Amino acid sequence: MKIIRTVADIREYVRCCKSEGKSIGLVPTMGALHEGHASLIEAARKENDVVIVSVFVNPTQFGPTEDFDAYPRQLDADAQRAEQAGADVIFAPTPKEMYPSVDMTWVEVTGDITKVLCGRSRPIHFRGVTTVVAKLFHLAQPNRAYFGLKDAQQTEVLRRMVTDLFFDVELRIMPIIREADGLAKSSRNVYLSPAERTAALILSKTLREAKEKFVGGLHDAAALVDFVRTNISSEPLADIDYVEIYQLPGLLPVKSSLKGKYLLAVAVRFGTTRLIDNVILED
Ligand code: PAF
């Protein structure tokens, strides 16, 4: 597996692919690759001539008290997994390579779309995500870029950025990949103790039941949120950050009765680990 470390080298690689008329699929990641990432890489493999996987733990999207230092870093294992899933090359720059100067340019989507849900407890997070993804788009010049629906707010924010900045890239949003028992795959699942891992199953179970209620005719937003809150709170190890419903696309506020397409999203702490999960409700 070819691992590219510098901006100059990825530019050269991309220039070469473009000169041969090859289409490029980009899978931006922070490494610690799991089956969720593999599903993105596999999709990119099917749809593009060349697949670039970026592995970069992006410092600007972590708050000062968050897990930047502890975030798992395992480039050799990632390279192996990426290759198995069909990647051609890994772009794994250093922070200095991506952020060469202390004076820097931010790419920021403003408004409620970055302030609700995770934006409330992670106020600088999305500015870091859009800044690094904009840099990656400029470097890799992908025809298509692949993101997981588990970070549903991230995909909505990136859609806004792509539209507003006229990026000529198709965003391909792939379904959440879950463990056999329902837990959404996440690089942060490794932080969970066995008891927390079991407790965390309350998320997927509750969201699944909420969707069943919605499909069964419960379209009252407050009642659905209340159902999810009550269920998750019944798990002693669960500490709720948010349970919210927003309209899709754009994460607009909901009316009391749901008619259309919605995101029901949760963020919940188990010990020091904060997990997110969601389900799409569509009538
Ligand atoms: O989803 C992620 O892993 C990150 O937010 C991303 C998109 C790779 C940007 O650092």
Side-chain angles (χ1 to χ4, degrees), residues 27-31 37 40 54-62 71 99 122 125-126 128-133 136 146-148 151 154 158 187-188:
V27 184
T29 82
M30 297 206 301
H37 298 110
L40 305 181
S54 64
V55 173
F56 179 62
V57 186
N58 174 36
T60 62
Q61 69 187 74
F62 289 81
Y71 202 85
Y99 297 103
R122 308 186 73 190
H125 174 69
F126 290 109
V129 170
T130 41
T131 298
V132 82
V133 171
L136 292 168
Y146 296 77
F147 297 91
D151 298 301
Q154 171 170 280
L158 288 172
S187 305
R188 292 190 165 99

Side-chain angles (χ1 to χ4, degrees), residues 176-240:
I176 299 177
I177 303 292
R178 298 182 179 279
E179 304 284 354
D181 59 11
L183 183 68
K185 301 252 184 196
S186 164
S187 305
R188 292 190 165 99
N189 289 350
V190 295
Y191 300 153
L192 297 167
S193 70
E196 289 163 354
R197 169 75 182 65
T198 304
L201 295 178
I202 193 74
L203 303 186
S204 52
K205 180 172 172 288
T206 302
L207 289 171
R208 197 177 56 240
E209 288 170 6
K211 185 167 183 156
E212 281 163 16
K213 283 190 177 293
F214 178 82
V215 170
L218 180 61
H219 285 195
D220 179 320
L224 279 167
V225 167
D226 194 47
F227 168 78
V228 173
R229 275 197 165 274
T230 307
N231 252 352
I232 295 178
S233 306
S234 71
E235 169 49 62
L237 294 182
D239 176 15
I240 295 176

